[in-house]
């Protein structure tokens, strides 16, 4: 995995892919102060390990002061974007009644049936099939009239990266935090401790109130357009559903793919505040 | 199923939007029940493609409502990218700028890490001006003025 931080930063930072954290070795107090100053602005929760040991002897070259000052930023961008293309192979079953159609068309249809609007564990939410890269000749199985075809295809996957800024709508406010929904995805949660400092839940309004200063009350109300930063993604392994009607009563199942978000820096929160 | 490469490429919102629109028109799906105009083989489409239809419709609705895809076109995006390439931005930052089209400094700073130390204010304003010029929005001027005052 390549990290696409600043080239300057790259030399000084040890990148641990996931969960994103930064470990900085430095014996320079000034440098450490600098890091502390900028740390609230980092896109990912960063861990700074300040070592008063002789960093010069460390494998990490000690930056000169001027270099350290240039380095006003330490960031890890885990390179994902809201929508990505993923390359997947699978064996598709083409039922006999679609034999009349062109092969590629029926393969795409079958793949869309299987993948569209589904979450692949550790990958993300598949939106649709983008294109087919390879379509093998079909195989036959005894006792089945269908053909089985090996395909390599690319699909559009929705997977925002940790640190990405998204806009959505507030679906629900509870004392625990705010639930945000997008039209096609609603497992986004902003826990109370990831909200602005000085945010309070108001039980009368069923909303969160942010008081940047004594006389200003900014409401985070249901159906407001909200901007937030993705902090963490949680994948859960879900058992396949049983026959219909068997496990209907299970309402509060863990979502297979959920996002934790935050609202703490400038520009976050209701979109209307910042315009 | 085997995942060969979890992330081959990034897609901009516009690309996804364009592609989904194509799917929508190919299948004669509409946004509301009345707009639906199923092809001759009703049963097959109705029963099997529900998921694709739902996600296509919802994703399109999201893109239309919450992102500026509708005012973008391949030409303006190409020009915007040419401009962005003149600045020292990471690929992912360019993509985010394109997806969000920040129109004031606050939203630009939210997207670009440590924007204030990497670029001076003049450069940032130039970027915002460029966005406003390429993707005009009605009340964009007020927004920019407000941002300048804030800064």
């Amino acid at each position: 995995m390549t990290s696409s931080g600043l080239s300057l930063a790259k030399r000084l930072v040890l990148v641990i892919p996931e969960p994103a954290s930064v470990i900085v070795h430095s014996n320079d107090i000034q440098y450490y102060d600098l890091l502390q100053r900028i740390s609230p602005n980092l896109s990912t929760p960063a861990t700074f390990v300040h070592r008063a040991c002789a960093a010069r002897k460390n494998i990490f070259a000690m930056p000169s002061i001027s270099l350290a000052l240039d380095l006003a930023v330490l960031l890890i961008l885990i390179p994902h974007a809201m929508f990505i293309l993923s390359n997947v192979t699978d064996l598709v079953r083409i039922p006999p009644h679609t034999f009349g159609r062109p092969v590629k068309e029926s393969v795409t249809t079958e793949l869309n049936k299987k993948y569209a609007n589904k979450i692949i564990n550790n990958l993300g939410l598949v939106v649709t099939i983008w294109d087919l890269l390879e379509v093998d000749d079909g195989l036959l199985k005894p006792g089945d009239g269908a053909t089985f075809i090996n395909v390599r295809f690319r699909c559009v996957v929705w997977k925002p990266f940790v640190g990405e800024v998204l806009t959505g709508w507030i679906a629900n406010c509870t004392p625990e935090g705010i639930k945000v929904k997008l039209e096609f995805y609603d497992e986004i949660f902003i826990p109370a401790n990831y909200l602005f400092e000085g945010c309070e839940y108001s039980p009368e309004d069923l909303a969160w109130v942010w008081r940047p200063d004594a006389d200003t009350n900014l409401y985070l109300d249901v159906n407001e357009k909200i901007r937030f930063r993705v902090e963490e993604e949680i994948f859960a392994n879900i058992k396949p559903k049983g026959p219909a009607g068997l496990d209907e009563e299970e309402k509060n199942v863990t979502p297979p793919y959920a996002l934790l978000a935050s609202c703490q820096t400038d520009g976050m929160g209701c979109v209307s505040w910042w315009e | 199923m085997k995942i060969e490469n979890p992330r081959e490429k990034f897609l901009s919102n516009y690309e996804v939007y364009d592609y989904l629109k194509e799917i929508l028109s190919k299948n004669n799906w509409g946004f509301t029940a009345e707009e639906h105009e199923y092809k001759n083989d009703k049963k097959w489409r109705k029963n099997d493609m529900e998921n694709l239809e739902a996600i296509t419709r919802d994703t399109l609705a999201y893109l239309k409502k919450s992102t500026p895809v509708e005012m973008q076109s391949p030409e303006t995006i190409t020009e915007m990218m040419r401009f962005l390439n003149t600045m020292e931005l990471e690929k992912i930052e360019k993509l985010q700028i394109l997806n969000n089209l920040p129109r004031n400094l606050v939203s630009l700073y939210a997207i670009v890490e440590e924007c204030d130390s990497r670029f001076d204010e003049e450069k940032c304003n130039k970027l915002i001006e460029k966005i406003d010029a390429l993707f005009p929005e009605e009340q964009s001027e007020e927004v920019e003025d407000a941002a300048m005052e804030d800064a």
Side-chain angles (χ1 to χ4, degrees):
Chain A
M1 182 184 274
T2 53
S3 81
S4 59
L6 292 178
S7 55
L8 243 174
K10 253 190 250 172
R11 266 183 279 156
L12 305 164
V13 175
L14 172 68
V15 177
I16 303 166
E18 280 178 48
S21 52
V22 193
I23 297 177
V24 178
H25 297 253
S26 161
N27 63 350
D28 190 301
I29 293 299
Q30 255 185 310
Y31 183 43
Y32 183 55
D33 284 345
L34 182 79
L35 290 175
Q36 281 210 313
R37 232 180 31 240
I38 64 164
S39 61
N41 300 327
L42 284 173
S43 64
T44 46
T47 325
F48 293 109
V49 180
H50 179 240
R51 286 201 180 165
C53 68
R56 259 169 263 260
K57 285 173 200 151
N58 209 299
I59 44 162
F60 303 97
M62 177 56 205
S64 69
I65 302 291
S66 68
L67 195 62
L69 289 174
D70 283 341
L71 175 83
V73 59
L74 279 169
L75 74 163
I76 309 172
L77 290 172
I78 296 169
H80 290 304
M82 200 151 129
F83 292 104
I84 53 173
L85 270 187
S86 296
N87 197 327
V88 183
T89 50
D90 200 2
L91 184 70
V92 231
R93 178 182 186 271
I94 306 295
H97 74 269
T98 59
F99 283 176
R101 294 197 179 115
V103 180
K104 285 199 171 166
E105 194 190 307
S106 41
V107 167
T108 316
T109 310
E110 291 304 314
L111 285 174
N112 269 327
K113 270 196 237 170
K114 181 168 174 186
Y115 288 101
N117 208 1
K118 303 274 167 64
I119 283 155
I120 299 183
N121 204 11
N122 291 327
L123 189 66
L125 170 68
V126 179
V127 177
T128 178
I129 307 304
W130 183 261
D131 58 1
L132 304 174
L133 298 174
E134 262 172 47
V135 181
D136 280 5
D137 295 336
L139 308 162
L140 294 174
K141 264 191 190 171
D144 191 341
T147 53
F148 291 80
I149 301 181
N150 264 315
V151 265
R152 203 149 67 82
F153 61 96
R154 292 191 293 184
C155 51
V156 181
V157 178
W158 186 76
K159 181 198 174 72
F161 61 94
V162 173
E164 180 160 351
V165 176
L166 295 175
T167 7
W169 308 83
I170 299 180
N172 204 349
C173 291
T174 59
E176 284 80 42
I178 296 177
K179 183 123 191 194
V180 182
K181 65 169 184 220
L182 309 181
E183 273 79 352
F184 59 99
Y185 179 80
D186 49 14
E187 295 300 342
I188 302 170
F189 187 67
I190 308 175
N193 57 338
Y194 275 171
L195 284 167
F196 293 102
E197 250 176 65
C199 244
E200 269 173 35
Y201 182 69
S202 140
E204 302 91 61
D205 306 309
L206 296 173
W208 278 85
V209 189
W210 182 36
R211 297 195 178 90
D213 47 64
D215 336 308
T216 340
N217 280 357
L218 292 169
Y219 282 87
L220 286 161
D221 218 336
V222 174
N223 276 333
E224 292 268 18
K225 197 174 182 187
I226 184 175
R227 202 178 281 144
F228 54 92
R229 196 184 286 281
V230 178
E231 293 290 348
E232 207 181 313
E233 42 190 15
I234 304 154
F235 284 98
N237 242 326
I238 300 292
K239 277 189 229 152
K241 258 192 216 140
L246 258 184
D247 43 14
E248 290 282 299
E249 74 275 13
E250 286 180 59
K251 265 278 171 200
N252 282 327
V253 279
T254 32
Y257 176 41
L259 292 175
L260 275 190
S262 76
C263 242
Q264 278 174 322
T265 46
D266 285 354
M268 300 298 128
C270 283
V271 175
S272 51
W273 299 347
W274 303 100
E275 279 175 354
Chain B
M1 182 191 78
K2 194 177 152 213
I3 294 153
E4 303 269 327
N5 184 356
R7 180 183 52 82
E8 195 173 292
K9 265 190 191 126
F10 298 124
L11 288 177
S12 70
N13 286 355
Y14 180 79
E15 283 168 292
V16 176
Y17 172 73
D18 201 48
Y19 186 67
L20 290 179
K21 254 194 354 197
E22 198 183 303
I23 292 185
L24 199 74
S25 64
K26 226 197 268 173
N27 290 290
N28 280 333
W29 292 328
F31 266 88
T32 56
E34 296 86 63
E35 278 177 55
H36 278 262
E37 190 191 308
Y38 289 104
K39 276 189 180 164
N40 314 334
D41 41 0
K42 259 182 204 165
K43 259 187 205 158
W44 175 68
R45 275 170 205 279
K46 244 187 193 166
N47 299 339
D48 297 349
M49 305 289 269
E50 268 173 358
N51 270 319
L52 179 65
E53 189 181 340
I55 191 102
T56 309
R57 190 184 51 227
D58 296 347
T59 313
L60 272 176
Y62 170 74
L63 289 173
K64 274 188 179 169
K65 213 165 146 191
S66 307
T67 63
V69 280
E70 280 202 301
M71 53 180 91
Q72 293 177 330
S73 71
E75 292 79 37
T76 47
I77 288 180
T78 327
E79 209 186 321
M80 191 67 215
M81 276 315 278
R82 286 220 181 90
F83 178 80
L84 289 177
N85 285 338
T86 60
M87 296 174 78
E88 278 184 20
L89 286 163
E90 293 298 330
K91 193 175 172 185
I92 192 122
E93 289 168 341
K94 290 182 209 164
L95 180 66
Q96 276 214 75
I97 291 178
L98 213 54
N99 280 347
N100 293 309
L101 294 185
R103 287 178 196 278
N104 52 44
L105 286 175
V106 186
S107 21
L108 182 67
Y109 280 24
I111 297 172
V112 181
E113 293 295 329
E114 292 301 311
C115 191
D116 46 351
S117 51
R118 283 165 63 197
F119 306 103
D120 49 37
E121 218 179 299
E122 197 186 323
K123 255 191 168 166
C124 295
N125 281 326
K126 244 188 202 160
L127 175 65
I128 292 166
E129 269 167 37
K130 185 81 184 169
I131 291 174
D132 277 332
L134 277 175
F135 311 101
E137 200 185 42
E138 287 120 52
Q139 24 95 309
S140 58
E141 268 179 27
E142 289 167 36
V143 171
E144 203 189 312
D145 288 347
M148 301 264 272
E149 276 163 30
D150 287 348

